[in-house]
Amino acid sequence: MVDADGGTPAIRDGLVAQLRRPGLVVLAGGPGVGRTTALRSVAEAFRGPVFTGGGLATLRHLPGMALARAVRARLPERDVPLAAEAVRARVGDGLLVVDDVHHADPLSLAVLPLLADVSRVLVAIRTPGGLPAETEAALRAAAGQWTVLSGLDPGAARALVRQVAPALDERAVEMILSRAGGNPLAIRVLAARMAGGSLSLGGRGPSSVDHRGEAGPAEGEAPSAGPNVGEDSASGALDRAVAAAVADLPRPARTALAALGLLGRPASPALLGPGVPELAEAGWVTVDGELVVPQPRYLAEVAAAVLPATERTGLHRRLADLLSGLESARHSAAGGDAVAAYRTALGAVRGAATVGDRAAALLLAVDAAVTAGAVPPEIDGGRPRSLVSLRLEAAEAALAAGDTTGCRRVLPDSPDGSSVGDRVRGVVLRAEALLQVGDAAEALAAVGAVSADGAPDVLRAEHTRVLLLAALSADPSGAAARAVTVPAELAEFPAVRVGLAALAARDRRDGWIEGLTAAASGALADGRPVDAWWSGWLLTEHLLADGRIAEANSVAGQYRAACAGQLAYSWETRFAASELWCGALLGADLDTVVRGAVDLLDRTLPAQARSYALAAASLALADTGALAPARTRLDRDPAGHAAATGRGPGPEVVRWVDREVSWLDGQPDRALDALPTSSSLAGGLGAVTTHWARHDLTPTQSDLPGGTEFVSHRLLPVRATLSAWAGVEDGTVVEDTPPATAFEAAAALWQGSALREQIRCLLAAGLSTPDADRAVPPLLAAEKYAEHAGLTVLLGRVHRALRRFSVRRATIDRTRTSTLTAREREVLALVAAGEPTRRIAGQLGISRETVETHVRAGMRKLGARTRTEAATLVLAGAE
C-alpha cells in the first residue's frame, strides 16, 4: 500500500476488528514509516462516518485544536470532561481519527484517554514524539491496542523502488534498500535522488566478492546526499520530519543517533554513550548483542546531517579519539583536523595487514596532506617527506589493489624540478594504470615517450617491465616486445623477470609456466604484489588460450583466494570471472556458474572480468535452456557491446558466445562468420561453431562463408575437430579415416578440457554416418554426458539424432508442472529469467532459504538434476 507520502503494510483486519467497539487504537512509528497512509487505509475500511483531525505544531497553543478540526466545533477550554463529552456527542457511532498526536495541544491530549471507553478512536503518533512522560503514560494505559509500524517488507520495498525509479540497476536498488531499511518515504526519497543523479554509489565494501555489492557512505564520511530541509518535496518533508523528531530526543540519544549516522555502520553501546536505551525504546535502533543497529540507516544519516556544523565537527573529533587506525583518520579528516588525519593514516599504513588497507590509508594521507597545504611533520618532529613522493607511494599502493581511479587521482603531474627518478616513477605508474584498464596502446605510448636513463636501477627495471607488458598487449605479433632491449644488469631484478617471463610465455618457450610462477613468487618476496597479480593473470589467460582449462581453473582459484586475502578487489574479480568461465567450459555445476557470474555482473568490474563473467553466465544459461535470458544479457551488457570492436581474450570469448547462443537458439544464420584466424581456443571454437551453422543451413545456399576448405589450428583438439568437419563437408575421407571415427577421436581430445565440445563431437559423429551401428554408440555417450551435466539444448539435439535410428527418448511431460504449487512455479520462472537467489527473495519478499526450498521442491517434482533444468521444464510446460 503506497501513496505519495510513502506506504506501509496496514494489518487492517485486526485494527478494524478492534474498532468495532469503543476503544483507543494507537499507531506509532518513526518519520516516513507510513502512519498517515495506515490511518487512511483503516478509515476507508470503516463502515460509518469518519471524523478526521490532527495536531499542528504551529497551532499547539490553541486549546482543543486537534479535536476541533475533526468535529468542526469549538471545545470548552477549561473543562476537560465537558470537552470529552462534546466530542463523544458529535462522533457518536462513527470513528474519530487523529493524526500527528505528538503535535497536539494539551487539551486534546487530555481528552483522548477519556474517550477510550465511549468512542472509537484511532490516532497516530510519531516516535519519539516529545510528549511529556505522564501524557504518554496516560495514552498507553487507555489504549486497547498500541501498534508500532515497522515499514515495508522486502518485496514491497523493492516494488516501491522500481515504481519510483524503474531504470535503476540492481546494485543501486540494493544500496537503497540497505539504507532505507523498509521505511517507505526514505525509499521514495533515495530512489528519486538516485534516479536524478544526486545520490552516488559510494562506499568501500569488504574484501569478498560475495559481499562487495553493499554501498553507502564510508565510515567517517558524510552521507552522499544530505538533507533538503528547505525543499517542498517528499525529500524535504522527510528531512523536516526527521529533524523535528531528532530535536525531541534527549541530548544523549540525539548524540548517539548522529554518531551512528557519521559512522555509517553498527557500533557498540560503549562507543555511542548513554543515549542508546532511549533510542531503542523509541524504535530508532535495535540492539543485537554488542552492536547497535540504526533502523533505518538513512534516518541516522539525516540525524547526523541536521546537526549544526560545529556540533558535527566536534562529534567527528570525539569519534576520532575513541577509534583507531584508518577509521579514526577518516573522522579526523571529516572533523577538520588534517594533521591528525595525516599522522593517523600513516600509522595505519605501517600497521596495514593487507594491500587494500595500505592503499586506502595512503590515499587518505595524501588527501589530508593536500588539505593541510603541506605534508605535516612526523609526530616525533622528524622531517616531513615530500608531497610528490607521498603521492607516488599512494599511487603504487592503489595499483597493487587494482584501484586505478585512486591511482590517477593522486598521481602528480611531474612538474618542472622533479627528480629524474620521480618523473620515471610517475610515468611507470601512469602506464601501469592504463594497462590495468586494458588500454595497452596508450600505456605503450606513455612509457615509451620517457627514457629511464639516469634513474636508479630499480626504477629502470620497473620501466622495462611495463614497457614489455604494454608491448606484448598492444602488439599481437609480439614484435614490439621482442625489440625491447633489456640491459644485462637489470635482468635479475624481480620486475624485469616478470616482463621476461611474460615474453617467454607469449612465445610458449620451454618452461614458460614455471617462469611465470617463479616471477610471481619473486615479486611477492620483493614486496611487489602487482607484479605477482600480473604473472598470475598472464598465466591464466595463456592457459585458457591453449585450451588447458582445468589448469587455468586451478591457477585462477589460487590467485582469486590470494587477492581476496589482500583486499585486492579488482584483481580478485578478474580471477573469479575467469574461474567461472572455466567452469562453464568444463561442464561443472552450471547452476553455480550462473549464480556466481550473475552476481559478479551486478557489481563494478574491470573490463576483463566483465567479459569473462558475461561469457560464463550467457553460455551456462544457454546450455541449460535459458536461451532468452542469455540473449538478453549479451545484448544489454556493456561487455557485449564492447566485444563487437574490442580486442583481447575477454572480448574474443564474448564474441564466440554471442554466436554460439544464436546457434543453440536455432538461428544458424546469425552464427555464421568468416572463419577466424585467431590461434586461441576462443578462435578455434568460433571456427567449430561456423561449421555447425553451415551444417544446419540448407546445402543449396551458395553464399555460405568459408566454403569447405580445411582450416588449420595450433590446438590439437580444435585441429582434429576442424579436420573431421572438412571430411564431412567435402565428402572425402580424411587420411583414410571415416568422418564418424574422426569426430570420435576429436571428442577424446576434448575430454577433461571442454565437456560441451566433447559432446558436440560425439553428436557430429552420430550425424555424419547413416550406419546405425556406427552412429548410435557415440550418440548414447553424448546423451550420457549431456544429461549428467544438465546441457539441455545439446541433449535435445542428441535425442533428435537418436530418433533417426528409431531410438526414442521420453519427451517433456508437460503435465508434470501441474504438480507444482503456484509459489514453486513463480520461483522457477524467475530462475528461468536468470535471476539469482538473493534477487528472487527480494522480489517475492521471502528469505533466501525459502527460495532454495521452493527450488529443491520443484526439482524433485519435475525430476530435474539442476535448478536451471527445472526452470526450463516450467517454461516448456507453459508453452
Side-chain angles (χ1 to χ4, degrees):
M1 187 172 56
V2 176
D3 70 1
D5 297 322
T8 185
I11 311 173
R12 292 189 302 185
D13 293 343
L15 297 178
V16 172
Q18 183 77 17
L19 292 169
R20 287 177 183 153
R21 56 187 179 278
L24 174 63
V25 174
V26 178
L27 297 180
V33 78
R35 300 183 309 276
T36 300
T37 303
L39 283 185
R40 186 180 302 123
S41 174
V42 175
E44 290 173 352
F46 182 79
R47 296 185 177 181
V50 177
F51 300 83
T52 303
L56 293 172
T58 56
L59 300 179
R60 188 179 291 171
H61 63 286
L62 297 178
M65 177 55 65
L67 297 179
R69 293 174 62 199
V71 299
R72 300 183 182 277
R74 290 189 63 181
L75 301 181
E77 298 180 7
R78 301 179 182 275
D79 192 329
V80 174
L82 186 59
E85 176 58 23
V87 173
R88 183 205 65 76
R90 286 168 173 79
V91 172
D93 291 333
L95 173 66
L96 174 64
V97 177
V98 187
D99 199 359
D100 292 332
V101 169
H102 49 284
H103 289 321
D105 57 280
L107 177 60
S108 296
L109 290 173
V111 166
L112 284 174
L114 301 181
L115 296 173
D117 293 331
V118 295
S119 298
R120 299 172 179 85
V121 185
L122 175 65
V123 305
I125 181 171
R126 187 197 67 208
T127 53
L131 293 177
E134 61 274 13
T135 301
E136 183 173 341
L139 286 172
R140 286 185 177 273
Q145 182 169 337
W146 188 291
T147 300
V148 177
L149 302 178
S150 57
L152 299 173
D153 60 58
R158 184 177 293 273
L160 179 57
V161 176
R162 290 301 183 193
Q163 174 186 322
V164 175
L168 292 181
D169 62 28
E170 187 62 25
R171 184 173 178 237
V173 172
E174 292 291 345
M175 186 276 281
I176 290 168
L177 295 177
S178 172
R179 290 178 68 181
N183 185 291
L185 190 51
I187 290 172
R188 184 175 289 279
V189 168
L190 290 172
R193 289 183 185 177
M194 181 71 76
S198 62
L199 185 66
S200 63
L201 284 171
R204 301 162 322 284
S207 62
S208 168
V209 173
D210 291 335
H211 301 85
R212 182 57 68 127
E214 181 179 353
E219 294 167 2
E221 297 176 359
S224 53
N228 297 293
V229 178
E231 290 186 9
D232 186 17
S233 62
S235 176
L238 176 58
D239 293 336
R240 286 192 295 272
V242 175
V246 170
D248 287 335
L249 288 169
R251 185 178 182 85
R254 189 164 63 243
T255 302
L257 185 64
L260 278 172
L262 295 180
L263 287 166
R265 62 169 178 83
S268 67
L271 180 62
L272 299 176
V276 172
E278 290 168 293
L279 286 178
E281 183 179 357
W284 287 62
V285 300
T286 58
V287 181
D288 183 7
E290 291 299 315
L291 287 178
V292 179
V293 183
Q295 296 293 333
R297 196 173 87 192
Y298 176 72
L299 300 189
E301 293 170 3
V302 175
V306 299
L307 280 179
T310 53
E311 288 188 36
R312 188 164 56 251
T313 298
L315 185 54
H316 271 302
R317 293 195 177 190
R318 175 187 163 193
L319 289 172
D321 292 338
L322 294 173
L323 298 167
S324 62
L326 189 56
E327 192 175 12
S328 174
R330 288 195 178 104
H331 284 288
S332 291
D337 192 346
V339 173
Y342 170 79
R343 289 172 174 168
T344 307
L346 279 191
V349 171
R350 289 188 285 270
T354 68
V355 166
D357 287 338
R358 185 172 185 274
L362 279 167
L363 291 171
L364 181 56
V366 170
D367 292 339
V370 171
T371 301
V375 179
E378 301 295 330
I379 196 168
D380 57 2
R383 181 180 177 182
R385 69 179 76 188
S386 73
L387 182 58
V388 170
S389 66
L390 179 64
R391 284 178 175 273
L392 291 171
E393 186 179 359
E396 185 173 25
L399 289 176
D403 183 2
T404 55
T405 302
C407 169
R408 291 178 173 182
R409 178 170 62 82
V410 300
L411 263 179
D413 295 328
S414 298
D416 294 338
S418 297
S419 67
V420 173
D422 285 346
R423 286 200 298 274
V424 171
R425 192 178 180 193
V427 167
V428 166
L429 293 174
R430 187 167 286 104
E432 170 67 31
L434 290 167
L435 265 180
Q436 288 195 19
V437 298
D439 198 344
E442 285 293 324
L444 183 59
V447 75
V450 176
S451 171
D453 293 343
D457 284 352
V458 65
L459 289 178
R460 291 172 60 208
E462 293 176 13
H463 185 275
T464 301
R465 191 268 302 176
V466 173
L467 189 60
L468 277 167
L469 291 181
L472 279 168
S473 298
D475 179 14
S477 68
R482 295 187 187 93
V484 175
T485 302
V486 179
E489 66 272 16
L490 301 182
E492 291 306 314
F493 275 80
V496 175
R497 289 177 61 191
V498 171
L500 293 175
L503 180 58
R506 180 60 175 266
D507 296 338
R508 300 300 193 274
R509 300 175 194 163
D510 290 344
W512 67 270
I513 294 178
E514 292 77 8
L516 281 173
T517 303
S521 299
L524 286 176
D526 196 44
R528 295 188 53 79
V530 69
D531 288 344
W533 309 150
W534 267 119
S535 299
W537 182 244
L538 292 170
L539 179 55
T540 300
E541 288 209 310
H542 287 318
L543 288 171
L544 280 171
D546 286 357
R548 301 166 69 168
I549 310 301
E551 294 173 74
N553 186 55
S554 176
V555 170
Q558 293 171 14
Y559 277 91
R560 174 190 50 75
C563 291
Q566 288 295 320
L567 304 187
Y569 167 71
S570 179
W571 286 102
E572 178 191 355
T573 60
R574 289 191 189 212
F575 291 109
S578 58
E579 194 176 11
L580 290 165
W581 173 240
C582 292
L585 292 175
L586 289 168
D589 183 350
L590 295 183
D591 280 346
T592 300
V593 171
V594 170
R595 286 199 297 269
V598 168
D599 187 59
L600 270 183
L601 290 170
D602 279 343
R603 308 172 191 278
T604 301
L605 299 174
Q608 300 90 334
R610 187 159 207 90
S611 293
Y612 279 117
L614 177 62
S618 302
L619 184 62
L621 283 168
D623 274 340
T624 50
L627 291 158
R631 171 52 57 197
T632 299
R633 284 199 169 274
L634 286 165
D635 291 343
R636 294 182 180 177
D637 198 279
H641 299 302
T645 55
R647 294 192 310 174
E652 188 178 34
V653 300
V654 176
R655 284 196 298 272
W656 170 63
V657 169
D658 183 79
R659 293 169 54 205
E660 182 69 9
V661 170
S662 296
W663 174 77
L664 289 168
D665 200 22
Q667 303 178 67
D669 53 314
R670 292 188 58 180
L672 280 173
D673 199 357
L675 294 181
T677 58
S678 170
S679 62
S680 69
L681 173 65
L685 292 175
V688 173
T689 297
T690 297
H691 282 291
W692 274 107
R694 287 197 198 129
H695 173 272
D696 287 357
L697 290 167
T698 57
T700 57
Q701 289 182 262
S702 59
D703 58 345
L704 298 183
T708 57
E709 77 281 6
F710 169 71
V711 178
S712 184
H713 198 278
R714 69 181 181 88
L715 300 185
L716 183 57
V718 175
R719 187 164 66 247
T721 305
L722 297 178
S723 175
W725 272 114
V728 170
E729 292 179 354
D730 63 15
T732 66
V733 174
V734 180
E735 298 178 357
D736 300 323
T737 303
T741 305
F743 278 119
E744 289 179 88
L749 294 173
W750 286 111
Q751 188 170 2
S753 60
L755 177 64
R756 64 186 317 280
E757 295 309 313
Q758 182 183 2
I759 293 169
R760 287 213 292 184
C761 282
L762 292 170
L763 173 60
L767 293 174
S768 64
T769 177
D771 184 353
D773 291 338
R774 298 296 306 275
V776 171
L779 289 174
L780 291 177
E783 178 189 43
K784 174 184 173 183
Y785 292 136
E787 191 170 19
H788 179 76
L791 301 176
T792 306
V793 180
L794 289 179
L795 180 61
R797 282 182 169 259
V798 171
H799 285 167
R800 288 198 296 275
L802 283 169
R803 285 198 291 271
R804 295 172 56 201
F805 303 103
S806 301
V807 179
R808 302 282 178 183
R809 291 292 186 264
T811 58
I812 294 175
D813 181 1
R814 299 180 188 273
T815 63
R816 282 189 291 172
T817 58
S818 64
T819 64
L820 299 177
T821 66
R823 179 64 90 182
E824 289 165 356
R825 190 176 291 105
E826 187 177 21
V827 168
L828 288 173
L830 289 171
V831 171
E835 299 287 2
T837 297
R838 60 182 175 79
R839 200 179 303 167
I840 295 172
Q843 289 184 36
L844 300 182
I846 56 181
S847 69
R848 297 187 186 191
E849 292 75 15
T850 303
V851 171
E852 293 299 333
T853 298
H854 288 313
V855 170
R856 286 193 295 270
M859 290 170 57
R860 183 179 66 255
K861 292 177 181 179
L862 296 172
R865 288 179 172 79
T866 68
R867 57 193 281 138
T868 314
E869 182 186 354
T872 305
L873 289 172
V874 168
L875 288 182
E879 293 174 353

